[in-house]
Amino acid sequence: MGAIALQAIEKWFGELQVIKGLDLEITDGEFVVFVGPSGCGKSTLLRMIGGLEEISRGKLLIDGEDKSADPPSKRGLTMVFQSYALYPHMSVRENMGFSLKTAGAPRAEIDSKVNEAARILKLDAFLDRRPKTLSGGQRQRVAIGRSIVRDPTAFLFDEPLSNLDAALRVEMRYEIAKLHQSLRRTMIYVTHDQVEAMTLADRIVVLEFGRIAQVGTPRELYRRPANLFVAQFIGSPKMNVLECSTSNGSFSLSGGRGGQFTGKRPATKIGIRPEHVEIGPEGAGILDGTVDVLEYLGADTYLIVDGGSAGQITIRASGETELGIGDRIGVVAPENRLHFFDEMGQAV
C-alpha cells in the first residue's frame, strides 16, 4: 500500500509562496518523477511529502490517512539523498542495518533483511567493506539498500544520481528501474535531468514556479505538450519555436512560407522538434536557411540553421549527412509534426 494524495498543498517561507496549491494523486506502485528548472519547487515538494518540510496549507494523504502533521518517522516513507550520507567507520552491512538496529530489531531479522537487500542490489561481495573503498555507484546502492531494509510504504529520491559521472548515471538508472520492477513500490523521484525522467517514469510531473504545468506519461508529454513551457522543457535538443500568424485555415511565418492550420483559435507560435524536421532543397518546406554550425555526435549530427528573420532552427540529422557550413537548404516540417501555441503559450 503506497497511494499518496496531495490536496491543495501550499508552502510559504514568510511572505514567499514556493508551492502554490498543488493537487496530485499517486497510485500504489507508481513511479512518478518531478522535473523542472532550478527553483521550481520540486525538492521542496518532495521534502514536504517526506516530512522534512512543514506543510503550510493543504493535506497529505498516505493510503487515505491524513499524515500532514505527522513526523517523518510516522509516515512510513524513506528518502535517498543526493549525498550518500554513509557512516565511514561502519561496514556496508552495518550501514544498511543501522536503522533496524537503532529500532531494536532482532539480530536475525537485521541479517535477513540486509542480505536480501544486498542480493537485490548486487552488493553481496561488498558487505564487509567500508564506504571509502567503494565507487560512487556502489555507495549510492548502499544508500538505497539502507532504505530497502526498512520496508517502506514509498521511496523518495532527491536527485540521487547528480554526483555520479555520465557512465555511472546510466548504470544507476538501470539499477533503479530494475529495483522498481522488482519491489513494485511507490517511488517519487526528483531530477532536473529529463533523460532520467523520460526513461524511469510511469508519469512525469512538470513543475513551473511552484505550480504543475502538466502531468502525464513520458510519451504524452513528448507528443502532446499542454503549453510552450512543457514543449521546450521535454525533449533534447529542445523544440524549435518560431513566430507565426494564422488566418483562414492557414499559417504563415515571418520571413518564411506557411501551410495548413486546423486550430480552433488563433496561434502566434509554431513548434517542431529537431528530430522531426526534414531537409529539402532550397525553396521546399516552410522556410529556407543557411547551415551555420555542425555538431557531429557520431550517429547524429545537429545542424544549427540560420533562418533569417524567421529565426534559428536546430535539425537532428544523420551522422552521415554531407551538408557543410554555408549550405542553403529548405526546412521541411510535416504537418502532423507541428505544434501550435496561442499568445498565452497554451497549446492550440
Side-chain angles (χ1 to χ4, degrees):
M1 296 291 287
I4 297 173
L6 310 180
Q7 298 180 349
I9 290 286
E10 296 183 16
K11 179 62 181 178
W12 293 77
F13 291 105
E15 296 183 357
L16 176 64
Q17 186 180 19
V18 294
I19 301 296
K20 303 171 182 177
L22 297 191
D23 293 290
L24 181 65
E25 298 276 348
I26 299 172
T27 60
D28 182 29
E30 191 174 22
F31 199 129
V32 172
V33 177
F34 295 165
V35 296
S38 297
C40 70
K42 54 188 184 293
S43 289
T44 299
L45 183 59
L46 189 77
R47 292 170 65 85
M48 291 166 69
I49 294 171
L52 303 181
E53 290 284 357
E54 182 182 352
I55 296 172
S56 302
R57 292 175 189 158
K59 289 184 178 181
L60 168 71
L61 305 181
I62 300 177
D63 291 328
E65 295 184 18
D66 188 352
K67 299 286 186 178
S68 308
D70 285 3
S73 59
K74 298 291 181 67
R75 299 190 184 194
L77 309 174
T78 188
M79 199 156 181
V80 179
F81 295 94
Q82 181 176 340
S83 60
Y84 317 124
L86 301 177
Y87 296 107
H89 63 287
M90 292 184 182
S91 67
V92 168
R93 185 190 306 277
E94 291 168 333
N95 266 285
M96 290 172 65
F98 185 72
S99 62
L100 297 179
K101 181 179 179 181
T102 56
R107 181 71 192 179
E109 179 186 344
I110 296 174
D111 289 343
S112 174
K113 289 188 174 182
V114 167
N115 289 336
E116 176 61 14
R119 182 192 65 79
I120 292 170
L121 294 167
K122 299 180 178 62
L123 289 170
D124 313 68
F126 306 102
L127 286 173
D128 296 318
R129 289 169 58 172
R130 297 274 179 93
K132 68 180 180 180
T133 67
L134 305 179
S135 69
Q138 290 165 344
R139 292 181 198 180
Q140 192 58 276
R141 276 190 277 162
V142 174
I144 294 171
R146 184 175 53 194
S147 296
I148 291 175
V149 300
R150 295 179 57 194
D151 194 25
T153 300
F155 291 84
L156 310 180
F157 294 91
D158 189 6
E159 301 199 45
L161 309 186
S162 58
N163 286 337
L164 305 181
D165 62 36
L168 274 177
R169 288 172 79 146
V170 173
E171 180 184 327
M172 282 304 302
R173 280 208 313 267
Y174 170 80
E175 297 284 355
I176 291 171
K178 293 295 289 182
L179 180 65
H180 182 246
Q181 292 173 17
S182 172
L183 299 179
R184 299 311 304 174
R185 294 295 176 87
T186 303
M187 294 185 177
I188 306 176
Y189 189 104
V190 163
T191 182
H192 63 273
D193 186 334
Q194 60 166 291
V195 174
E196 289 178 21
M198 296 288 281
T199 55
L200 289 172
D202 294 324
R203 283 192 304 155
I204 297 174
V205 179
V206 183
L207 295 170
E208 180 184 17
F209 301 120
R211 292 189 172 90
I212 294 177
Q214 189 174 356
V215 181
T217 66
R219 191 180 298 269
E220 287 170 347
L221 267 57
Y222 178 80
R223 290 185 172 180
R224 295 186 296 278
N227 52 57
L228 196 56
F229 175 79
V230 175
Q232 294 196 284
F233 191 82
I234 299 295
S236 180
K238 69 179 183 179
M239 180 184 287
N240 296 298
V241 176
L242 306 172
E243 300 287 336
C244 76
S245 59
T246 58
S247 64
N248 300 322
S250 65
F251 73 88
S252 60
L253 298 176
S254 171
R257 292 178 284 275
Q260 185 179 6
F261 174 71
T262 58
K264 295 184 179 179
R265 63 181 190 276
T268 60
K269 288 182 173 60
I270 184 173
I272 183 166
R273 298 197 180 279
E275 54 271 31
H276 296 155
V277 179
E278 299 173 3
I279 300 170
E282 191 171 6
I286 59 174
L287 60 88
D288 296 327
T290 304
V291 177
D292 205 19
V293 175
L294 286 171
E295 296 180 344
Y296 176 70
L297 299 176
D300 299 317
T301 295
Y302 294 154
L303 307 177
I304 314 299
V305 176
D306 181 2
S309 60
Q312 189 181 82
I313 301 282
T314 299
I315 302 175
R316 184 175 182 174
S318 165
E320 303 303 317
T321 183
E322 296 182 358
L323 287 170
I325 294 174
D327 287 351
R328 293 284 292 173
I329 64 170
V331 175
V332 180
E335 289 183 3
N336 64 339
R337 297 296 195 177
L338 294 176
H339 301 263
F340 291 92
F341 303 93
D342 63 20
E343 60 183 358
M344 300 301 294
Q346 298 302 305
V348 176

